[in-house]
Amino acid sequence: MAPVSIKRVLISESVDPCCKTILQENGIDVTERQNMNQEELIVQIKDYDGLVVRSATKVTADIIYAASNLKIIGRAGTGVDNVDVDVATKKGIIVMNTPNGNTISAAELTCALVINLSRHVPQAVMSMKAENWDRKKFMGAELYGKTLGIIGLGRIGKEVASRMQSFAMRTIGYDPITPPEVSASWGVEQMSLEELWPQCDYITVHTPLMPSTTGLLNDASFAKCKRGVKVVNCARGGIIDEAALLRALESGQCGGAGLDVFVEEPPKDWTLIKHPNVISCPHLGASTREAQARCGQDIALQIVDMVKGKALVGAVNAQVLACTFSPDSQQWIRLGKAMGRVLKACCSSKQPFAHVHITTQGECLKKSAGFLSSAAVVGLLTEGPEIVPNLVNALPLAEETGITIKRSHSDEAKMACMVEVSVNGSIYKAVGSVQAGVPVLLELNGSVFWQPVPLSGNLLFFKATGSPQLLSSVTGILATAGVAMERFSASSAPGDDQWYCVGIPSQLADLSTLKSLVKEALQLAM
């Protein structure tokens, strides 16, 4: 991957000082401005290439559209639901988080809430502070032998399971992604939610907030649980339906809740929090010195590694870039973009495109179809006033404009990339490769070049019927226009018409001067 130029980063929240230090040590200018409202951030963000946030800053569409130079949004923590990832992707902005930074801290707080729910510790503490000695009021229950249902078996869910197994709890779970055999290896039996609800004495949720998880615990699911079930949420507010939870608490269907996160933070309605069987915290899942240092360090190092072209870690919307860090990948990206531009010029009068088919050839390119597809689409798309196509947003932009993308791979011996574009029923095709570190065009619309065409500098392509006088006639027209011919590539094709390519030091001012000699002509500055 080509290094992304990040010169100025804005940190809009309290992040561990090591974040600023690491960025500055690597030549990045850092500004810290906390407690900005949306309007203030909109004014400030246009001056920065990068933005680092935690959870309080809501990076909305308005902020992203105001960020004319922004290339990366870094969330120092797990999850990115405070960032409009769809809009960021459309603008070609990388969004990353630190998925491992607060895993231990969030797992430990979850376990603490489970333990406190079982023994009513916070309520007993408050009673003692009120000078009451009431042992019978706070009768608890052992965790030994109880069943803990874990919804979401990622990093945090796994850590919670291993800790609560130390209390001899039975751990069961649900996760649509983690294979059952994987979770079984660390002691969690997977099952459907319908099977899980009635078995649990305690339920804890560890999923991202998305349409499929919003209100996951609701009136219907509480009704399927054991009476008196206790629930914990240290993930995201909204996974547990707060109104349904309050109803379950008041009816006794839910025996207690440990909440660290809420739909509104801070809450405006404190009714749920004031319920005597609720213990709550002001979103403290990542609030440990260790987690903050880890998140601050991780996000800074991830940005630095990306800037230096070493690796891309924690990106949630730029998976296509994961394979772009090999030494040769940048030249193949250049090839894909260049072939896209050549094909776009070939059919400029016949747009829009309908279909794009990218085929990679050769074992070494087996994992490169993703970024080569994006690169080719970047070359095909037109820059807009607010949207500049890049590898991050190319495929979403193509989909938005109605272009269908197909990718395939062939295990042929030679390494090459073929791009085919369908426009109004016509097919345009380019085949290229990288030779000696240089992107070259091998074939254009059925014409196979005798010598590979280096895709660099100013290139003049024209289609004409071959004749002994063609080269000298074209050379004469170029000389009349004061343009020298630096290199010339001819081709062979099944019919009489072939494509030719001329390397020139500057573009021809008027392509119509070639009209008497050629059937089609186009020129590009690579």
Side-chain angles (χ1 to χ4, degrees):
M1 175 183 167
V4 177
S5 177
I6 304 290
K7 297 179 180 179
R8 301 190 69 199
V9 168
L10 174 64
I11 300 176
S12 66
E13 295 182 56
S14 177
V15 177
D16 192 89
C18 71
C19 179
K20 180 179 181 179
T21 300
I22 292 169
L23 293 173
Q24 289 178 327
E25 286 175 348
N26 286 274
I28 298 173
D29 181 45
V30 180
T31 301
E32 292 182 292
R33 289 199 61 179
Q34 300 176 25
N35 303 316
M36 284 186 290
N37 59 34
Q38 292 274 305
E39 290 72 24
E40 291 171 325
L41 185 52
I42 286 172
V43 171
Q44 293 292 324
I45 195 62
K46 66 180 184 298
D47 297 324
Y48 295 92
D49 308 302
L51 173 65
V52 173
V53 302
R54 285 181 61 194
S55 58
T57 302
K58 308 303 179 188
V59 189
T60 63
D62 289 340
I63 291 171
I64 293 170
Y65 279 117
S68 53
N69 296 314
L70 200 62
K71 299 178 182 70
I72 185 165
I73 299 168
R75 157 89 159 93
T78 301
V80 288
D81 43 278
N82 57 317
V83 179
D84 193 326
V85 177
D86 289 340
V87 173
T89 302
K90 184 176 179 180
K91 282 208 67 180
I93 299 169
I94 297 170
V95 179
M96 64 169 56
N97 66 357
T98 55
N100 299 312
N102 63 2
T103 297
I104 300 300
S105 293
E108 288 181 352
L109 181 60
T110 299
C111 297
L113 290 177
V114 171
I115 294 166
N116 279 283
L117 281 172
S118 73
R119 299 304 296 269
H120 310 296
V121 175
Q123 295 92 330
V125 168
M126 296 308 296
S127 178
M128 287 288 287
K129 289 182 182 295
E131 301 180 4
N132 295 319
W133 183 269
D134 196 343
R135 298 175 68 190
K136 293 182 180 179
K137 183 178 180 181
F138 302 111
M139 180 65 66
E142 292 182 349
L143 295 176
Y144 181 88
K146 300 299 190 302
T147 297
L148 173 65
I150 305 171
I151 301 175
L153 297 169
R155 292 174 300 272
I156 297 173
K158 177 183 177 181
E159 296 296 336
V160 169
S162 68
R163 284 156 178 75
M164 300 318 295
Q165 287 161 8
S166 300
F167 288 84
M169 293 192 84
R170 175 188 175 223
T171 50
I172 62 177
Y174 168 79
D175 191 301
I177 298 174
T178 303
E181 60 272 18
V182 172
S183 61
S185 70
W186 25 273
V188 178
E189 178 190 356
Q190 277 205 54
M191 57 189 67
S192 70
L193 289 173
E194 294 301 308
E195 295 173 297
L196 180 142
W197 299 131
Q199 298 188 47
C200 297
D201 299 293
Y202 296 81
I203 297 172
T204 177
V205 295
H206 300 285
T207 71
L209 182 66
M210 58 182 73
S212 61
T213 63
T214 300
L216 193 62
L217 270 77
N218 50 37
D219 288 315
S221 48
F222 274 119
K224 297 171 185 175
C225 293
K226 285 184 180 180
R227 184 167 180 80
V229 67
K230 296 178 174 64
V231 298
V232 172
N233 187 4
C234 289
R236 288 290 183 267
I239 298 172
I240 299 178
D241 184 321
E242 293 178 354
L245 173 58
L246 183 58
R247 287 190 290 270
L249 287 163
E250 290 175 341
S251 71
Q253 182 63 18
C254 178
L259 305 175
D260 185 49
V261 291
F262 304 89
V263 173
E264 278 190 306
E265 296 184 0
K268 293 178 181 177
D269 184 351
W270 295 81
T271 306
L272 175 63
I273 294 166
K274 290 180 179 179
H275 192 282
N277 291 337
V278 171
I279 55 178
S280 56
C281 306
H283 203 149
L284 300 180
S287 294
T288 64
R289 287 185 293 274
E290 294 84 357
Q292 288 311 299
R294 201 178 294 121
C295 288
Q297 174 180 280
D298 285 356
I299 199 65
L301 290 175
Q302 287 171 204
I303 292 172
V304 169
D305 283 348
M306 182 196 69
V307 168
K308 292 185 175 180
K310 291 183 177 179
L312 184 67
V313 177
V316 300
N317 68 333
Q319 293 83 352
V320 68
L321 301 180
C323 297
T324 63
F325 289 89
S326 65
D328 299 328
S329 63
Q330 187 53 34
Q331 298 309 319
W332 285 97
I333 291 170
R334 283 182 56 204
L335 172 69
K337 291 179 178 178
M339 288 199 299
R341 291 188 62 201
V342 170
L343 291 175
K344 177 183 175 182
C346 283
C347 51
S348 60
S349 62
K350 307 178 185 70
Q351 293 181 39
F353 310 111
H355 308 284
V356 179
H357 184 191
I358 296 92
T359 303
T360 51
Q361 298 175 356
E363 181 67 26
C364 293
L365 291 181
K366 205 165 192 175
K367 297 181 180 179
S368 305
F371 71 75
L372 278 171
S373 299
S374 295
V377 172
V378 169
L380 288 166
L381 293 176
T382 303
E383 292 188 11
E386 291 186 343
I387 305 296
V388 177
N390 63 20
L391 296 184
V392 176
N393 63 9
L395 297 186
L397 288 176
E399 182 180 350
E400 189 177 278
T401 55
I403 302 172
T404 59
I405 309 294
K406 180 181 177 182
R407 292 180 288 195
S408 57
H409 179 77
S410 168
D411 286 325
E412 293 186 21
K414 69 173 183 178
M415 289 175 58
C417 176
M418 179 172 68
V419 181
E420 293 177 284
V421 177
S422 172
V423 183
N424 295 336
S426 299
I427 302 295
Y428 299 83
K429 182 176 76 170
V431 179
S433 187
V434 174
Q435 298 181 357
V438 177
V440 295
L441 185 65
L442 304 176
E443 179 182 337
L444 180 61
N445 296 328
S447 293
V448 180
F449 289 100
W450 295 343
Q451 295 293 329
V453 177
L455 292 170
S456 60
N458 292 296
L459 299 177
L460 170 64
F461 290 91
F462 59 89
K463 182 180 181 182
T465 301
S467 70
Q469 295 79 30
L470 179 63
L471 179 58
S472 59
S473 299
V474 170
T475 303
I477 290 175
L478 292 176
T480 302
V483 177
M485 182 182 294
E486 295 180 333
R487 61 181 185 267
F488 176 77
S489 296
S491 68
S492 59
D496 294 331
D497 296 334
Q498 292 100 34
W499 279 94
Y500 300 84
C501 182
V502 176
I504 50 180
S506 60
Q507 291 195 350
L508 196 62
D510 185 5
L511 281 178
S512 66
T513 56
L514 294 169
K515 192 173 181 180
S516 62
L517 298 175
V518 306
K519 296 182 178 179
E520 293 182 49
L522 56 104
Q523 56 185 345
L524 296 164
M526 294 292 183

